[in-house]
Amino acid sequence: MTNSAPPRRVVVTGATGKLGRAVVAHLRAVGVDVLAVDRAGGRDPRDVDGEFLLADLTDYGQVVEAFTGGVDEHADGVEAIVHLAAVPAPGLRSNATTFANNSAATYNVFAAARAAGIKRVVWASSETVLGLPFDTPPPYAPVDEEYAPRPESTYSLNKALEEEMARHFCRWDPELVMVGLRFSNVMDVEDYAPFPSFDADPQARRWNLWGYIDARDGAQAVERALVHDRPGADVFIIANADTVMTRSSASLMAEVYPGVEIRKELGEHETLLSIDKARRMLGYEPRHSWRDHVHPVQRAAW
Ligand SMILES: NC(=O)c1ccc[n+]([C@@H]2O[C@H](COP(=O)([O-])OP(=O)(O)OC[C@H]3O[C@@H](n4cnc5c(N)ncnc54)[C@H](O)[C@@H]3O)[C@@H](O)[C@H]2O)c1
């Protein structure tokens, strides 16, 4: 693992979204100058507190202006892009709308970064490319980055195409560093209260192998990815170290996916979305767990 110096000024897209809010707050807290960009919100400090630009990323001109300091009142000198803006899941909008928005936004972000000479792009891919909702069982567990994407929805297809697109942008520019973070299901602390109820039905959250990512750990992964200095495109699964369940990971796999090969000795609650590569290559280490937020009495009562 080698690191470059952290970028001084960064654009974060999707800045008023669930993950974006945590990322902007975290990067600002560690001293990064952030231009927060989104097509929604921004006036309310609960959305984003600080420099903000309202822009629709499906319009290339708006992206170029944001990245080059062309917008009045905003500084130039952007050194890296964190691209989180998207319709964030299948089924929220029509398939064609999801594809049109997400593919255009990401192409424009990648292309405008190239046009602006920005050499560092971190973007949100998704755990979905691993084969969610796993109606077809995973090839082995814990799942990792070693098998080809298996998108099962239009949303996921677009994320898989973004990963492919990043590889070509990096082929065109040997100095470019592009890091795709395959986030698990993003959670804020307020989301943890119902977690103990998940235990009643092992099928209920098998769709992502019982994984999750605390938004604050997601933000830490972005910070780590921003200092990754190996040119080329690479992808990393970003999840928490444990599952959403109280039952053991081994017992869940044995019950729900009995035919799937388990490739390692599993810790009691060990994630089945492997974060070994992110640990090894990015220095990512989750600091949070839902278990720290749900009161033990409450847990016992569920
Ligand atoms: N939420 C999850 O569980 C999850 C899991 C894996 C990956 N992801 C990915 O992480 C990223 C962030 O997700 P989130 O949960 O914060 O979603 P979110 O919906 O809370 O935030 C996404 C933001 O993107 C903005 N946006 C969408 N299209 C835009 C456009 N054309 N121009 C400008 N802004 C636009 C929205 O206004 C919104 O504020 C997304 O790329 C999503 O696909 C999310």
Side-chain angles (χ1 to χ4, degrees), residues 119-182:
K119 301 294 184 187
R120 199 167 295 272
V121 177
V122 175
W123 89 101
S125 184
S126 158
E127 62 178 355
T128 58
V129 302
L130 297 164
L132 276 61
F134 293 118
D135 293 341
T136 300
Y140 51 83
V143 290
D144 60 18
E145 298 85 350
E146 295 304 309
Y147 63 98
R150 295 178 169 191
E152 303 288 3
S153 65
T154 298
Y155 164 81
S156 186
L157 173 65
N158 184 69
K159 293 292 190 188
L161 295 174
E162 289 177 7
E163 292 186 357
E164 183 65 12
M165 185 158 58
R167 279 188 273 279
H168 295 295
F169 272 82
C170 288
R171 189 168 54 79
W172 295 340
D173 179 356
E175 290 176 18
L176 187 57
V177 184
M178 299 188 76
V179 181
L181 300 176
R182 292 174 170 181

Side-chain angles (χ1 to χ4, degrees), residues 18-27 30 82 84 181 183 186 213-226 238 284 287:
K18 188 172 193 179
L19 188 55
R21 287 193 302 269
V23 167
V24 171
H26 181 86
L27 291 180
V30 297
V82 178
L84 308 175
L181 300 176
F183 290 109
V186 179
I213 178 68
D214 185 293
R216 296 163 298 178
D217 281 323
Q220 182 220 146
V222 168
E223 181 197 353
R224 297 304 311 162
L226 281 169
I238 301 297
Y284 165 69
R287 295 181 189 133

Side-chain angles (χ1 to χ4, degrees), residues 22-73:
V23 167
V24 171
H26 181 86
L27 291 180
R28 285 184 175 151
V30 297
V32 178
D33 179 17
V34 176
L35 169 56
V37 175
D38 204 295
R39 69 178 172 190
R43 290 253 174 211
D44 186 333
R46 283 170 300 185
D47 278 348
V48 59
D49 194 8
E51 189 183 354
F52 178 75
L53 175 68
L54 198 63
D56 186 337
L57 303 171
T58 61
D59 176 353
Y60 183 67
Q62 294 184 45
V63 187
V64 170
E65 277 198 33
F67 290 6
T68 56
V71 184
D72 291 346
E73 308 289 333

Side-chain angles (χ1 to χ4, degrees), residues 67-104:
F67 290 6
T68 56
V71 184
D72 291 346
E73 308 289 333
H74 292 283
D76 57 8
V78 171
E79 293 181 354
I81 307 298
V82 178
H83 172 48
L84 308 175
V87 175
L92 300 174
R93 307 288 301 268
S94 77
N95 293 350
T97 306
T98 300
F99 190 85
N101 183 72
N102 292 1
S103 60

